[in-house]
Structures are given as C-alpha cells and as structure tokens.
Amino acid sequence: VKLVESGGGSVQSGGSLRLSCRISGFTDTTYSMGWFRQRPGKEREGVAAIDHEGTTSYADSVKGRFTISQDNANQALYLQMNSLQPEDTAMYYCAADRSPWGATWFLTYRQRLADYWGHGTQVTVSS
C-alpha cells in the first residue's frame, strides 16, 4: 500500500489549498481514511476523516472551513482547505486504516496507529 500526498504550499491568511492523496494497493472494503497534521512543537492531531459508508468527521478547529472527499474510482483522497489561518501551518499526512469503527473513532484514536501513512505535505499560512 502506498499513499502519496500533494498540494501543500504557502498561502496567506484567508487563502485556500486543496490537498490530494493518491492511494495505491489498498483494496479493503471496510476502512477509514483521513488527514492528520503535526504543527510545530505539537502532537499529531486528527483533521478530517471519511469511512467506507461516506460518513465524515472533522476536528472542531476546522469545521466549516475544511472538506474531505474521496474518489473511489481513482483511489484518491482530498482535503479542501478554505479560510486558512496561521494556526493551520503544519505537516499534513494522509492515512488509511482497515478499522471498521468509523470516521470519528479513526480520527480520535489513530493519530499514530493508522495502518498506512504517506510522507506528508507541508502547509504554511502567513498572516
């Protein structure tokens, strides 16, 4: 299984970015996938997740600003990030997991334990 993120970059406060995660070799039909981030000096945290039923879950800090989506045909995961703020500056990681317990469980408990990880893409937001 391979996950490759892209789409990170530098933007000004209020700007938008769309992260993409290309997934190959993942064939499980029961799963959760999502985005985690690690801000400077902070622990890794869940940002957004989606499960095999299409249920989504978001961290409170990004609700209303970020949207997660998936393209099953192309095995891709996306994160549309709007109204970016300096506190969103972080390394963003794509992750996939075979757990059957849904998006919220995945986002809450798998910050370090997800089955598969990408290498990350940097997002920098300047004020």
Side-chain angles (χ1 to χ4, degrees), residues 95-112:
D97 199 87
R98 297 183 297 251
S99 60
W101 295 291
T104 299
W105 182 90
F106 173 70
L107 203 63
T108 305
Y109 296 112
R110 301 295 275 181
Q111 294 97 325
R112 296 192 175 277

Side-chain angles (χ1 to χ4, degrees), residues 38-118:
Q38 189 157 14
R39 295 182 279 181
K42 303 286 187 180
E43 294 290 318
R44 188 174 297 180
E45 61 183 351
V47 176
I50 188 167
D51 64 28
H52 58 279
E53 296 182 336
T55 302
T56 58
S57 183
Y58 295 91
D60 287 343
S61 59
V62 306
K63 282 180 181 176
R65 300 189 297 124
F66 291 12
T67 303
I68 189 170
S69 61
Q70 62 181 351
D71 181 344
N72 289 331
N74 295 308
Q75 286 204 301
L77 189 69
Y78 304 102
L79 185 68
Q80 178 65 44
M81 305 187 296
N82 298 328
S83 302
L84 283 161
Q85 301 300 317
E87 53 266 34
D88 295 315
T89 294
M91 183 69 78
Y92 284 73
Y93 298 91
C94 174
D97 199 87
R98 297 183 297 251
S99 60
W101 295 291
T104 299
W105 182 90
F106 173 70
L107 203 63
T108 305
Y109 296 112
R110 301 295 275 181
Q111 294 97 325
R112 296 192 175 277
L113 301 175
D115 294 327
Y116 305 105
W117 291 91

Side-chain angles (χ1 to χ4, degrees), residues 6-58:
S6 61
S10 297
V11 296
Q12 291 191 324
S13 180
S16 298
L17 284 173
R18 187 190 194 214
L19 304 184
S20 299
C21 178
R22 181 72 62 181
I23 303 167
S24 57
F26 189 84
T27 59
D28 290 72
T29 56
T30 300
Y31 63 84
S32 288
M33 296 180 179
W35 295 91
F36 296 82
R37 69 184 181 187
Q38 189 157 14
R39 295 182 279 181
K42 303 286 187 180
E43 294 290 318
R44 188 174 297 180
E45 61 183 351
V47 176
I50 188 167
D51 64 28
H52 58 279
E53 296 182 336
T55 302
T56 58
S57 183
Y58 295 91

